Amino acid sequence: MHINYELTQEDLLQFYLFHMQFDSKAKRAQRSQAILGCILIALASFFLIPKMDISKVTAWAISFLIMFFFLAFYRAIFRSMVKKRVLRLLKKQDQDQEGSKSMTFEKDQLVETTGDRNLVLPYKDVYRSRENKDYFYIYKSPSLAYIIPKRCLSTKASEKIRQLLGL
């Protein structure tokens, strides 16, 4: 089976945001930053509460409420920070990852063609395969993957890819 597709900067961004959900370093960074944020809120409360004209119980209740909302919305804040960072990174990188690509799914390997380069990946060397509602991700290492947008595929092609990758 042979498919042609176009990768955009948005596709690359979506891959990094998707990958972040499974990357242990990203998870650890998200947890540490959330804990650090709560510690900073607690420290600020500790120093500000004595200077306020409200009861300590009310002030600490407000402080814990702020921490709760901070934790509740921190994932969205973290994704936003990562998105900005990735967009800056993508602007600095060469644009080799974007553009027209074609992939051939053969009996025992897949071949990606970009310009005049052919990259071959035997199915036995696929690190992992993942799928979400918009993309197929075929990992060739823990953090590098072929990105196949589903918008470029027919239903039949999507089913064939699922079958070949065991998804």
Side-chain angles (χ1 to χ4, degrees):
M1 177 179 73
H2 182 80
I3 58 170
N4 294 311
Y5 58 99
E6 187 85 20
L7 274 186
T8 64
Q9 190 176 46
E10 180 63 23
D11 296 329
L12 296 170
L13 175 64
Q14 290 305 317
F15 166 70
Y16 286 110
L17 292 174
F18 175 82
H19 177 71
M20 183 181 73
Q21 299 171 44
F22 303 101
D23 184 52
S24 59
K25 288 179 185 176
K27 285 180 179 179
R28 197 173 23 251
Q30 186 176 0
R31 259 193 315 273
S32 354
Q33 289 175 12
I35 291 168
L36 181 63
C38 286
I39 290 170
L40 290 174
I41 293 169
L43 283 173
S45 300
F46 182 77
F47 289 110
L48 293 176
I49 287 174
K51 296 176 182 172
M52 296 177 152
D53 287 337
I54 57 175
S55 76
K56 290 186 190 299
V57 173
T58 305
W60 278 109
I62 292 170
S63 179
F64 282 116
L65 197 60
I66 291 170
M67 278 189 241
F68 173 78
F69 282 111
F70 175 77
L71 286 175
F73 292 107
Y74 188 72
R75 185 173 180 180
I77 295 166
F78 186 79
R79 279 181 65 88
S80 174
M81 289 184 329
V82 167
K83 188 175 182 177
K84 287 177 188 173
R85 209 172 293 151
V86 167
L87 285 172
R88 268 194 312 254
L89 232 163
L90 289 173
K91 287 179 183 172
K92 288 180 185 176
Q93 283 182 349
D94 60 22
Q95 303 304 317
D96 191 36
Q97 295 175 336
E98 296 176 44
S100 296
K101 302 195 179 286
S102 98
M103 187 165 291
T104 304
F105 291 85
E106 297 176 353
K107 181 181 175 189
D108 56 351
Q109 67 186 11
L110 58 92
V111 180
E112 183 195 46
T113 305
T114 305
D116 58 348
R117 276 189 350 201
N118 286 338
L119 299 169
V120 177
L121 180 65
Y123 293 126
K124 66 178 180 59
D125 293 341
V126 170
Y127 183 77
R128 100 176 124 238
S129 304
R130 298 234 192 253
E131 172 185 12
N132 67 12
K133 70 180 183 82
D134 297 318
Y135 300 94
F136 285 106
Y137 300 111
I138 305 168
Y139 283 81
K140 46 190 171 185
S141 74
S143 60
L144 293 173
Y146 293 113
I147 304 164
I148 304 173
K150 289 183 179 178
R151 68 176 180 273
C152 304
L153 302 172
S154 66
T155 306
K156 185 178 177 181
S158 292
E159 286 302 319
K160 182 74 172 168
I161 291 172
R162 277 188 203 94
Q163 178 187 3
L164 288 168
L165 298 174
L167 293 171

